[in-house]
Short mmCIF file of all heavy atoms in Angstrom, two decimals:
data_model
loop_
_atom_site.label_atom_id
_atom_site.label_comp_id
_atom_site.label_asym_id
_atom_site.label_seq_id
_atom_site.Cartn_x
_atom_site.Cartn_y
_atom_site.Cartn_z
N MET A 1 15.97 7.95 5.32
CA MET A 1 15.87 6.65 6.12
C MET A 1 14.52 6.12 5.63
O MET A 1 13.52 6.86 5.58
CB MET A 1 15.78 6.96 7.58
CG MET A 1 15.51 5.75 8.36
SD MET A 1 15.69 6.08 10.15
CE MET A 1 14.00 6.43 10.54
N THR A 2 14.45 4.90 5.34
CA THR A 2 13.16 4.22 5.00
C THR A 2 12.57 3.47 6.22
O THR A 2 13.38 3.01 7.17
CB THR A 2 13.37 3.16 3.88
OG1 THR A 2 14.15 2.13 4.30
CG2 THR A 2 13.88 3.83 2.60
N ILE A 3 11.26 3.42 6.26
CA ILE A 3 10.59 2.76 7.34
C ILE A 3 9.76 1.65 6.73
O ILE A 3 9.00 1.85 5.73
CB ILE A 3 9.67 3.66 8.11
CG1 ILE A 3 10.56 4.85 8.71
CG2 ILE A 3 8.93 2.98 9.12
CD1 ILE A 3 9.68 5.96 9.25
N LYS A 4 9.85 0.40 7.22
CA LYS A 4 9.20 -0.75 6.68
C LYS A 4 7.90 -0.98 7.32
O LYS A 4 7.77 -0.95 8.59
CB LYS A 4 10.15 -1.93 6.71
CG LYS A 4 11.35 -1.83 5.84
CD LYS A 4 12.12 -3.08 5.93
CE LYS A 4 13.45 -2.98 5.11
NZ LYS A 4 14.17 -4.16 5.07
N TYR A 5 6.81 -1.29 6.56
CA TYR A 5 5.58 -1.69 7.10
C TYR A 5 5.13 -3.02 6.41
O TYR A 5 5.42 -3.24 5.25
CB TYR A 5 4.46 -0.66 6.60
CG TYR A 5 4.77 0.78 7.41
CD1 TYR A 5 5.57 1.66 6.93
CD2 TYR A 5 3.98 1.05 8.59
CE1 TYR A 5 5.79 2.92 7.51
CE2 TYR A 5 4.23 2.22 9.13
CZ TYR A 5 5.08 3.20 8.74
OH TYR A 5 5.31 4.35 9.33
N TYR A 6 4.33 -3.75 7.17
CA TYR A 6 3.65 -4.89 6.57
C TYR A 6 2.28 -4.40 5.96
O TYR A 6 1.61 -3.61 6.61
CB TYR A 6 3.30 -5.93 7.65
CG TYR A 6 2.35 -6.98 7.15
CD1 TYR A 6 2.80 -8.03 6.26
CD2 TYR A 6 1.04 -6.91 7.52
CE1 TYR A 6 1.87 -8.95 5.87
CE2 TYR A 6 0.13 -7.91 6.96
CZ TYR A 6 0.58 -8.90 6.15
OH TYR A 6 -0.26 -9.82 5.71
N ALA A 7 1.93 -4.78 4.74
CA ALA A 7 0.79 -4.27 4.27
C ALA A 7 -0.07 -5.62 3.63
O ALA A 7 0.57 -6.41 3.05
CB ALA A 7 1.04 -3.38 3.03
N HIS A 8 -1.30 -5.49 3.73
CA HIS A 8 -2.17 -6.46 3.17
C HIS A 8 -3.18 -5.63 2.40
O HIS A 8 -3.91 -4.75 2.99
CB HIS A 8 -2.94 -7.33 4.27
CG HIS A 8 -3.90 -8.31 3.68
ND1 HIS A 8 -4.84 -8.83 4.50
CD2 HIS A 8 -4.05 -8.84 2.45
CE1 HIS A 8 -5.66 -9.61 3.75
NE2 HIS A 8 -5.13 -9.61 2.54
N PHE A 9 -3.30 -5.75 1.12
CA PHE A 9 -4.12 -4.85 0.23
C PHE A 9 -4.57 -5.48 -1.01
O PHE A 9 -4.31 -6.55 -1.33
CB PHE A 9 -3.23 -3.55 -0.19
CG PHE A 9 -1.95 -3.97 -0.90
CD1 PHE A 9 -1.86 -4.01 -2.23
CD2 PHE A 9 -0.74 -4.30 -0.11
CE1 PHE A 9 -0.68 -4.34 -2.88
CE2 PHE A 9 0.35 -4.60 -0.83
CZ PHE A 9 0.39 -4.63 -2.19
N LEU A 10 -5.65 -4.78 -1.63
CA LEU A 10 -6.28 -5.20 -2.81
C LEU A 10 -5.91 -4.14 -3.95
O LEU A 10 -5.99 -3.03 -3.68
CB LEU A 10 -7.81 -5.24 -2.62
CG LEU A 10 -8.36 -6.24 -1.52
CD1 LEU A 10 -9.79 -6.02 -1.39
CD2 LEU A 10 -7.95 -7.65 -1.80
N VAL A 11 -5.79 -4.63 -5.19
CA VAL A 11 -5.50 -3.78 -6.25
C VAL A 11 -6.55 -4.11 -7.26
O VAL A 11 -6.57 -5.27 -7.67
CB VAL A 11 -4.01 -3.86 -6.79
CG1 VAL A 11 -3.94 -3.00 -8.00
CG2 VAL A 11 -3.03 -3.56 -5.64
N GLU A 12 -7.28 -3.06 -7.83
CA GLU A 12 -8.11 -3.29 -8.97
C GLU A 12 -7.38 -3.38 -10.19
O GLU A 12 -6.67 -2.46 -10.55
CB GLU A 12 -9.17 -2.18 -9.04
CG GLU A 12 -10.09 -2.31 -10.20
CD GLU A 12 -11.16 -3.41 -9.92
OE1 GLU A 12 -11.64 -3.70 -8.85
OE2 GLU A 12 -11.48 -4.08 -10.99
N GLU A 13 -7.23 -4.47 -10.82
CA GLU A 13 -6.44 -4.70 -12.10
C GLU A 13 -7.35 -4.73 -13.32
O GLU A 13 -8.43 -5.26 -13.30
CB GLU A 13 -5.70 -6.17 -11.99
CG GLU A 13 -4.79 -6.32 -10.84
CD GLU A 13 -3.42 -5.52 -11.14
OE1 GLU A 13 -3.30 -5.00 -12.24
OE2 GLU A 13 -2.59 -5.53 -10.30
N PRO A 14 -6.81 -4.14 -14.34
CA PRO A 14 -7.72 -4.06 -15.60
C PRO A 14 -7.63 -5.31 -16.39
O PRO A 14 -8.70 -5.62 -17.07
CB PRO A 14 -6.98 -2.93 -16.36
CG PRO A 14 -5.59 -2.95 -15.94
CD PRO A 14 -5.66 -3.33 -14.55
N ASP A 15 -6.59 -6.10 -16.32
CA ASP A 15 -6.57 -7.31 -17.12
C ASP A 15 -5.69 -8.27 -16.37
O ASP A 15 -4.45 -8.08 -16.26
CB ASP A 15 -5.90 -6.94 -18.45
CG ASP A 15 -6.11 -8.12 -19.47
OD1 ASP A 15 -6.95 -8.93 -19.29
OD2 ASP A 15 -5.23 -8.21 -20.41
N PRO A 16 -6.14 -9.44 -15.96
CA PRO A 16 -7.61 -9.76 -15.95
C PRO A 16 -8.42 -8.90 -14.94
O PRO A 16 -7.89 -8.50 -13.88
CB PRO A 16 -7.62 -11.27 -15.48
CG PRO A 16 -6.41 -11.33 -14.65
CD PRO A 16 -5.39 -10.44 -15.18
N LYS A 17 -9.58 -8.48 -15.43
CA LYS A 17 -10.40 -7.59 -14.64
C LYS A 17 -10.71 -8.13 -13.30
O LYS A 17 -11.03 -9.30 -13.15
CB LYS A 17 -11.73 -7.34 -15.41
CG LYS A 17 -12.56 -6.30 -14.78
CD LYS A 17 -12.29 -4.96 -15.39
CE LYS A 17 -13.36 -3.99 -14.94
NZ LYS A 17 -12.74 -2.75 -14.59
N GLY A 18 -10.64 -7.27 -12.28
CA GLY A 18 -10.95 -7.69 -10.98
C GLY A 18 -9.90 -7.35 -9.82
O GLY A 18 -8.87 -6.82 -10.22
N LEU A 19 -10.31 -7.73 -8.69
CA LEU A 19 -9.43 -7.44 -7.54
C LEU A 19 -8.35 -8.40 -7.42
O LEU A 19 -8.68 -9.67 -7.45
CB LEU A 19 -10.22 -7.27 -6.25
CG LEU A 19 -11.15 -6.10 -6.17
CD1 LEU A 19 -11.97 -6.15 -4.81
CD2 LEU A 19 -10.34 -4.74 -5.99
N GLN A 20 -7.16 -8.03 -7.14
CA GLN A 20 -6.07 -8.93 -6.76
C GLN A 20 -5.55 -8.62 -5.39
O GLN A 20 -5.44 -7.52 -5.03
CB GLN A 20 -4.90 -8.82 -7.83
CG GLN A 20 -5.27 -9.09 -9.34
CD GLN A 20 -5.73 -10.50 -9.44
OE1 GLN A 20 -5.00 -11.42 -9.08
NE2 GLN A 20 -6.68 -10.66 -10.19
N GLU A 21 -5.33 -9.64 -4.67
CA GLU A 21 -4.91 -9.56 -3.26
C GLU A 21 -3.45 -9.72 -3.15
O GLU A 21 -2.84 -10.67 -3.72
CB GLU A 21 -5.73 -10.61 -2.43
CG GLU A 21 -5.37 -10.52 -0.94
CD GLU A 21 -6.25 -11.46 -0.15
OE1 GLU A 21 -6.96 -12.36 -0.73
OE2 GLU A 21 -6.30 -11.42 1.08
N TYR A 22 -2.77 -8.87 -2.29
CA TYR A 22 -1.32 -8.98 -2.07
C TYR A 22 -1.16 -8.73 -0.56
O TYR A 22 -1.85 -8.10 0.14
CB TYR A 22 -0.69 -7.89 -2.83
CG TYR A 22 -0.77 -8.03 -4.31
CD1 TYR A 22 -1.86 -7.23 -4.98
CD2 TYR A 22 0.03 -8.74 -5.09
CE1 TYR A 22 -1.99 -7.40 -6.35
CE2 TYR A 22 -0.16 -8.80 -6.46
CZ TYR A 22 -1.05 -8.16 -7.09
OH TYR A 22 -1.21 -8.27 -8.42
N ARG A 23 0.04 -9.31 -0.20
CA ARG A 23 0.54 -9.17 1.20
C ARG A 23 2.09 -8.95 1.03
O ARG A 23 2.75 -9.59 0.21
CB ARG A 23 0.33 -10.35 2.04
CG ARG A 23 -1.14 -10.50 2.45
CD ARG A 23 -1.22 -11.83 3.32
NE ARG A 23 -2.58 -12.06 3.67
CZ ARG A 23 -3.47 -12.90 3.02
NH1 ARG A 23 -3.04 -13.51 2.00
NH2 ARG A 23 -4.69 -12.98 3.47
N GLY A 24 2.69 -8.09 1.88
CA GLY A 24 4.12 -7.91 1.81
C GLY A 24 4.53 -6.65 2.51
O GLY A 24 3.83 -6.04 3.28
N VAL A 25 5.80 -6.36 2.39
CA VAL A 25 6.48 -5.23 3.12
C VAL A 25 6.49 -4.05 2.08
O VAL A 25 6.85 -4.19 0.89
CB VAL A 25 7.90 -5.71 3.47
CG1 VAL A 25 8.66 -4.52 4.02
CG2 VAL A 25 7.97 -6.79 4.46
N VAL A 26 6.15 -2.89 2.63
CA VAL A 26 6.19 -1.64 1.86
C VAL A 26 7.20 -0.75 2.66
O VAL A 26 7.17 -0.73 3.81
CB VAL A 26 4.79 -1.05 1.84
CG1 VAL A 26 4.77 0.34 1.15
CG2 VAL A 26 3.82 -1.85 1.13
N GLU A 27 7.96 -0.04 1.86
CA GLU A 27 8.95 0.91 2.48
C GLU A 27 8.53 2.30 2.13
O GLU A 27 8.33 2.57 0.95
CB GLU A 27 10.41 0.55 2.00
CG GLU A 27 10.90 -0.63 2.43
CD GLU A 27 12.42 -0.86 2.08
OE1 GLU A 27 13.13 0.13 2.08
OE2 GLU A 27 12.77 -2.03 1.84
N LEU A 28 8.52 3.15 3.20
CA LEU A 28 8.22 4.59 2.97
C LEU A 28 9.50 5.34 3.18
O LEU A 28 10.31 5.06 4.13
CB LEU A 28 7.17 5.09 3.92
CG LEU A 28 5.79 4.44 3.79
CD1 LEU A 28 4.89 5.17 4.85
CD2 LEU A 28 5.23 4.66 2.46
N ASP A 29 9.79 6.32 2.46
CA ASP A 29 10.93 7.27 2.63
C ASP A 29 10.53 8.23 3.75
O ASP A 29 9.71 9.09 3.39
CB ASP A 29 11.35 7.95 1.37
CG ASP A 29 11.88 6.95 0.33
OD1 ASP A 29 12.52 5.99 0.75
OD2 ASP A 29 11.74 7.20 -0.81
N GLY A 30 11.14 8.11 4.89
CA GLY A 30 10.84 9.05 5.92
C GLY A 30 9.62 8.70 6.73
O GLY A 30 8.89 7.74 6.41
N GLN A 31 9.30 9.55 7.71
CA GLN A 31 8.19 9.26 8.63
C GLN A 31 6.91 9.87 8.05
O GLN A 31 6.81 11.07 7.81
CB GLN A 31 8.50 9.97 9.94
CG GLN A 31 7.40 9.72 11.00
CD GLN A 31 7.28 8.32 11.53
OE1 GLN A 31 8.28 7.64 11.58
NE2 GLN A 31 6.03 7.87 11.67
N PRO A 32 5.89 9.03 7.77
CA PRO A 32 4.60 9.60 7.29
C PRO A 32 3.93 10.46 8.33
O PRO A 32 4.18 10.21 9.53
CB PRO A 32 3.79 8.38 6.85
CG PRO A 32 4.35 7.30 7.69
CD PRO A 32 5.80 7.64 7.97
N LYS A 33 3.08 11.42 7.99
CA LYS A 33 2.29 12.16 8.95
C LYS A 33 1.30 11.26 9.73
O LYS A 33 0.76 10.39 9.11
CB LYS A 33 1.61 13.23 8.18
CG LYS A 33 2.34 14.32 7.56
CD LYS A 33 1.64 15.37 6.82
CE LYS A 33 2.60 16.25 6.11
NZ LYS A 33 1.85 17.24 5.23
N ILE A 34 1.18 11.63 10.97
CA ILE A 34 0.30 10.77 11.82
C ILE A 34 -1.07 10.91 11.16
O ILE A 34 -1.66 11.92 10.78
CB ILE A 34 0.20 11.39 13.25
CG1 ILE A 34 1.71 11.12 13.84
CG2 ILE A 34 -0.81 10.71 14.13
CD1 ILE A 34 1.80 11.72 15.24
N GLY A 35 -1.80 9.71 11.05
CA GLY A 35 -3.07 9.58 10.49
C GLY A 35 -3.08 9.47 8.97
O GLY A 35 -4.11 9.38 8.39
N ARG A 36 -1.92 9.66 8.30
CA ARG A 36 -1.89 9.52 6.83
C ARG A 36 -1.04 8.35 6.39
O ARG A 36 -0.84 8.17 5.17
CB ARG A 36 -1.23 10.81 6.29
CG ARG A 36 -2.02 12.06 6.54
CD ARG A 36 -1.82 13.23 5.53
NE ARG A 36 -1.38 12.81 4.20
CZ ARG A 36 -2.20 12.67 3.16
NH1 ARG A 36 -3.45 12.86 3.29
NH2 ARG A 36 -1.63 12.48 2.00
N GLU A 37 -0.65 7.47 7.28
CA GLU A 37 0.15 6.34 6.93
C GLU A 37 -0.53 5.41 5.85
O GLU A 37 -0.03 5.15 4.79
CB GLU A 37 0.47 5.40 8.10
CG GLU A 37 1.42 6.09 9.06
CD GLU A 37 0.58 6.75 10.29
OE1 GLU A 37 -0.66 6.94 10.11
OE2 GLU A 37 1.13 7.02 11.27
N VAL A 38 -1.82 5.10 5.98
CA VAL A 38 -2.47 4.21 5.04
C VAL A 38 -2.69 4.98 3.80
O VAL A 38 -2.52 4.26 2.65
CB VAL A 38 -3.87 3.75 5.70
CG1 VAL A 38 -4.70 3.01 4.67
CG2 VAL A 38 -3.61 2.99 6.88
N LYS A 39 -3.01 6.24 3.85
CA LYS A 39 -3.18 7.00 2.56
C LYS A 39 -1.88 7.10 1.75
O LYS A 39 -1.85 6.86 0.48
CB LYS A 39 -3.69 8.44 2.86
CG LYS A 39 -3.89 9.22 1.67
CD LYS A 39 -5.30 9.54 1.47
CE LYS A 39 -5.57 10.46 0.40
NZ LYS A 39 -6.67 10.07 -0.40
N GLU A 40 -0.74 7.32 2.40
CA GLU A 40 0.58 7.35 1.76
C GLU A 40 0.96 5.98 1.24
O GLU A 40 1.47 5.80 0.15
CB GLU A 40 1.59 7.86 2.73
CG GLU A 40 1.47 9.38 3.02
CD GLU A 40 2.53 9.92 3.78
OE1 GLU A 40 3.72 9.41 3.77
OE2 GLU A 40 2.25 10.89 4.60
N ALA A 41 0.59 4.92 1.99
CA ALA A 41 0.85 3.53 1.55
C ALA A 41 0.03 3.30 0.29
O ALA A 41 0.62 2.60 -0.66
CB ALA A 41 0.42 2.51 2.58
N ALA A 42 -1.27 3.64 0.18
CA ALA A 42 -2.01 3.45 -1.01
C ALA A 42 -1.45 4.16 -2.17
O ALA A 42 -1.39 3.55 -3.30
CB ALA A 42 -3.47 3.82 -0.71
N LEU A 43 -0.89 5.33 -1.92
CA LEU A 43 -0.25 6.15 -3.09
C LEU A 43 0.99 5.43 -3.63
O LEU A 43 1.17 5.29 -4.83
CB LEU A 43 0.02 7.47 -2.61
CG LEU A 43 -1.09 8.41 -2.41
CD1 LEU A 43 -0.63 9.70 -1.76
CD2 LEU A 43 -1.74 8.82 -3.63
N ILE A 44 1.78 4.87 -2.72
CA ILE A 44 3.00 4.18 -3.14
C ILE A 44 2.66 2.90 -3.90
O ILE A 44 3.23 2.50 -4.79
CB ILE A 44 3.90 3.93 -1.88
CG1 ILE A 44 4.43 5.27 -1.41
CG2 ILE A 44 5.05 2.93 -2.21
CD1 ILE A 44 5.13 5.11 0.00
N ILE A 45 1.74 2.11 -3.24
CA ILE A 45 1.34 0.91 -3.84
C ILE A 45 0.80 1.16 -5.29
O ILE A 45 1.14 0.43 -6.29
CB ILE A 45 0.33 0.13 -3.00
CG1 ILE A 45 1.02 -0.29 -1.68
CG2 ILE A 45 -0.21 -1.07 -3.67
CD1 ILE A 45 0.10 -0.78 -0.69
N ALA A 46 -0.12 2.12 -5.40
CA ALA A 46 -0.67 2.44 -6.70
C ALA A 46 0.39 2.76 -7.71
O ALA A 46 0.39 2.40 -8.87
CB ALA A 46 -1.69 3.55 -6.47
N ARG A 47 1.36 3.62 -7.25
CA ARG A 47 2.40 4.05 -8.17
C ARG A 47 3.19 2.77 -8.67
O ARG A 47 3.59 2.76 -9.85
CB ARG A 47 3.34 5.05 -7.49
CG ARG A 47 4.34 5.67 -8.39
CD ARG A 47 5.30 6.69 -7.59
NE ARG A 47 4.59 7.39 -6.56
CZ ARG A 47 5.16 7.45 -5.32
NH1 ARG A 47 6.27 6.81 -5.03
NH2 ARG A 47 4.58 8.11 -4.38
N ASN A 48 3.50 1.93 -7.72
CA ASN A 48 4.27 0.73 -8.13
C ASN A 48 3.49 -0.19 -9.01
O ASN A 48 4.20 -0.91 -9.83
CB ASN A 48 4.68 0.02 -6.78
CG ASN A 48 5.78 0.68 -6.03
OD1 ASN A 48 6.56 1.43 -6.53
ND2 ASN A 48 5.90 0.31 -4.75
N PHE A 49 2.27 -0.24 -8.90
CA PHE A 49 1.40 -1.13 -9.79
C PHE A 49 0.90 -0.38 -11.08
O PHE A 49 0.26 -0.88 -11.90
CB PHE A 49 0.24 -1.62 -9.03
CG PHE A 49 0.52 -2.81 -8.20
CD1 PHE A 49 0.95 -2.65 -6.86
CD2 PHE A 49 0.28 -4.08 -8.74
CE1 PHE A 49 1.26 -3.74 -6.15
CE2 PHE A 49 0.60 -5.12 -7.87
CZ PHE A 49 1.11 -5.03 -6.59
N GLY A 50 1.27 0.96 -11.17
CA GLY A 50 0.82 1.73 -12.36
C GLY A 50 -0.66 1.99 -12.37
O GLY A 50 -1.31 2.06 -13.35
N ARG A 51 -1.18 2.17 -11.15
CA ARG A 51 -2.72 2.32 -10.96
C ARG A 51 -2.94 3.64 -10.33
O ARG A 51 -1.97 4.25 -9.79
CB ARG A 51 -3.30 1.12 -10.10
CG ARG A 51 -2.94 -0.27 -10.55
CD ARG A 51 -3.48 -0.70 -11.98
NE ARG A 51 -4.87 -0.36 -12.04
CZ ARG A 51 -5.45 0.11 -13.20
NH1 ARG A 51 -4.69 0.26 -14.27
NH2 ARG A 51 -6.77 0.31 -13.31
N GLU A 52 -4.26 4.06 -10.20
CA GLU A 52 -4.60 5.19 -9.42
C GLU A 52 -4.75 4.77 -7.96
O GLU A 52 -5.07 3.63 -7.73
CB GLU A 52 -5.84 5.79 -10.00
CG GLU A 52 -5.88 6.24 -11.43
CD GLU A 52 -4.92 7.50 -11.65
OE1 GLU A 52 -4.89 8.34 -10.66
OE2 GLU A 52 -4.19 7.51 -12.63
N SER A 53 -4.63 5.72 -7.09
CA SER A 53 -4.73 5.37 -5.69
C SER A 53 -6.15 4.94 -5.36
O SER A 53 -6.38 4.19 -4.30
CB SER A 53 -4.33 6.59 -4.82
OG SER A 53 -5.24 7.70 -5.03
N ASP A 54 -7.16 5.28 -6.17
CA ASP A 54 -8.51 4.78 -5.86
C ASP A 54 -8.59 3.32 -6.16
O ASP A 54 -9.65 2.63 -5.82
CB ASP A 54 -9.54 5.56 -6.72
CG ASP A 54 -9.69 7.03 -6.30
OD1 ASP A 54 -9.26 7.36 -5.21
OD2 ASP A 54 -10.22 7.76 -7.13
N ASP A 55 -7.67 2.80 -6.91
CA ASP A 55 -7.73 1.27 -7.32
C ASP A 55 -6.99 0.45 -6.22
O ASP A 55 -7.03 -0.76 -6.30
CB ASP A 55 -6.85 1.13 -8.59
CG ASP A 55 -7.57 1.73 -9.81
OD1 ASP A 55 -8.78 2.00 -9.75
OD2 ASP A 55 -6.80 2.05 -10.79
N VAL A 56 -6.55 1.12 -5.11
CA VAL A 56 -5.95 0.32 -4.07
C VAL A 56 -6.69 0.47 -2.81
O VAL A 56 -7.13 1.55 -2.37
CB VAL A 56 -4.51 0.85 -3.82
CG1 VAL A 56 -3.85 0.12 -2.59
CG2 VAL A 56 -3.62 0.64 -5.07
N LYS A 57 -6.97 -0.67 -2.04
CA LYS A 57 -7.62 -0.69 -0.80
C LYS A 57 -6.68 -1.35 0.18
O LYS A 57 -6.42 -2.54 0.00
CB LYS A 57 -9.01 -1.38 -0.90
CG LYS A 57 -9.72 -1.39 0.51
CD LYS A 57 -11.09 -1.93 0.51
CE LYS A 57 -11.60 -1.80 1.90
NZ LYS A 57 -13.06 -2.23 1.88
N VAL A 58 -6.27 -0.64 1.13
CA VAL A 58 -5.33 -1.19 2.20
C VAL A 58 -6.22 -1.85 3.30
O VAL A 58 -7.00 -1.18 3.87
CB VAL A 58 -4.37 -0.08 2.70
CG1 VAL A 58 -3.56 -0.74 3.91
CG2 VAL A 58 -3.48 0.44 1.68
N LEU A 59 -5.99 -3.14 3.42
CA LEU A 59 -6.72 -3.82 4.50
C LEU A 59 -6.12 -3.91 5.85
O LEU A 59 -6.68 -3.82 6.92
CB LEU A 59 -7.06 -5.34 4.00
CG LEU A 59 -7.75 -5.41 2.80
CD1 LEU A 59 -7.74 -6.90 2.25
CD2 LEU A 59 -9.08 -4.80 2.71
N GLN A 60 -4.76 -4.14 5.81
CA GLN A 60 -4.06 -4.15 7.04
C GLN A 60 -2.77 -3.33 6.88
O GLN A 60 -2.12 -3.33 5.81
CB GLN A 60 -3.68 -5.53 7.47
CG GLN A 60 -4.79 -6.36 8.01
CD GLN A 60 -4.32 -7.80 8.37
OE1 GLN A 60 -3.56 -8.32 7.63
NE2 GLN A 60 -4.82 -8.28 9.46
N TRP A 61 -2.33 -2.74 7.95
CA TRP A 61 -1.06 -1.89 7.89
C TRP A 61 -0.36 -1.84 9.24
O TRP A 61 -1.02 -1.51 10.25
CB TRP A 61 -1.52 -0.52 7.45
CG TRP A 61 -0.36 0.54 7.29
CD1 TRP A 61 -0.08 1.50 8.10
CD2 TRP A 61 0.50 0.47 6.18
NE1 TRP A 61 1.00 2.21 7.57
CE2 TRP A 61 1.36 1.70 6.39
CE3 TRP A 61 0.75 -0.18 5.04
CZ2 TRP A 61 2.46 1.96 5.55
CZ3 TRP A 61 1.85 0.17 4.21
CH2 TRP A 61 2.57 1.21 4.38
N ALA A 62 0.87 -2.29 9.31
CA ALA A 62 1.49 -2.27 10.63
C ALA A 62 2.97 -1.97 10.42
O ALA A 62 3.60 -2.58 9.59
CB ALA A 62 1.42 -3.58 11.32
N ARG A 63 3.60 -1.15 11.23
CA ARG A 63 5.00 -0.85 11.16
C ARG A 63 5.82 -2.01 11.68
O ARG A 63 5.50 -2.64 12.59
CB ARG A 63 5.33 0.39 11.99
CG ARG A 63 6.79 0.79 11.87
CD ARG A 63 7.08 2.09 12.51
NE ARG A 63 8.49 2.42 12.43
CZ ARG A 63 9.07 3.45 12.78
NH1 ARG A 63 8.32 4.45 13.38
NH2 ARG A 63 10.38 3.70 12.66
N LEU A 64 6.89 -2.40 10.92
CA LEU A 64 7.77 -3.38 11.28
C LEU A 64 8.84 -2.82 12.17
O LEU A 64 9.36 -1.74 11.85
CB LEU A 64 8.43 -4.06 10.14
CG LEU A 64 7.39 -4.77 9.17
CD1 LEU A 64 8.08 -5.36 7.98
CD2 LEU A 64 6.64 -5.93 9.90
N HIS A 65 9.27 -3.54 13.18
CA HIS A 65 10.40 -3.09 14.03
C HIS A 65 11.66 -3.79 13.78
O HIS A 65 11.73 -4.86 13.39
CB HIS A 65 9.99 -3.17 15.53
CG HIS A 65 8.76 -2.36 15.89
ND1 HIS A 65 8.84 -1.06 16.13
CD2 HIS A 65 7.43 -2.76 15.87
CE1 HIS A 65 7.61 -0.65 16.45
NE2 HIS A 65 6.80 -1.62 16.22
#
C-alpha cells in the first residue's frame, strides 16, 4: 500500500548549478517509521532525481488523506 504526502523541497542540481525548488506529491511504499518520514522522503526524492540524499532539503511535508 502506498501513502501519499505533499512535499515542498529543494534539490541541489549540478547543471545548471544551484538549488531547484519543487512542490508535489510523493508516494511512500508502506508506513514510514515515526520520526523518519522526512528522512525517507529525502531518500526517495534523491533517488528519483539521481542525486545523493544530502542534495535534497525537505521544507514541508504532510500526509494527504
Side-chain angles (χ1 to χ4, degrees):
M1 176 175 97
T2 62
I3 301 170
K4 294 182 180 180
Y5 291 85
Y6 166 79
H8 178 198
F9 55 94
L10 302 173
V11 178
E12 181 70 38
E13 296 283 358
D15 191 23
K17 185 94 171 132
L19 290 174
Q20 300 296 315
E21 183 176 9
Y22 299 92
R23 291 181 178 95
V25 175
V26 174
E27 291 187 35
L28 296 182
D29 292 330
Q31 181 71 36
K33 294 179 183 175
I34 295 174
R36 294 206 27 99
E37 294 96 342
V38 173
K39 182 113 176 132
E40 289 184 30
L43 288 170
I44 291 168
I45 292 165
R47 188 177 330 126
N48 288 338
F49 279 85
R51 310 296 308 142
E52 297 293 324
S53 61
D54 292 345
D55 294 334
V56 175
K57 180 175 182 175
V58 177
L59 302 174
Q60 290 179 313
W61 182 254
R63 184 173 177 174
L64 298 177
H65 297 279

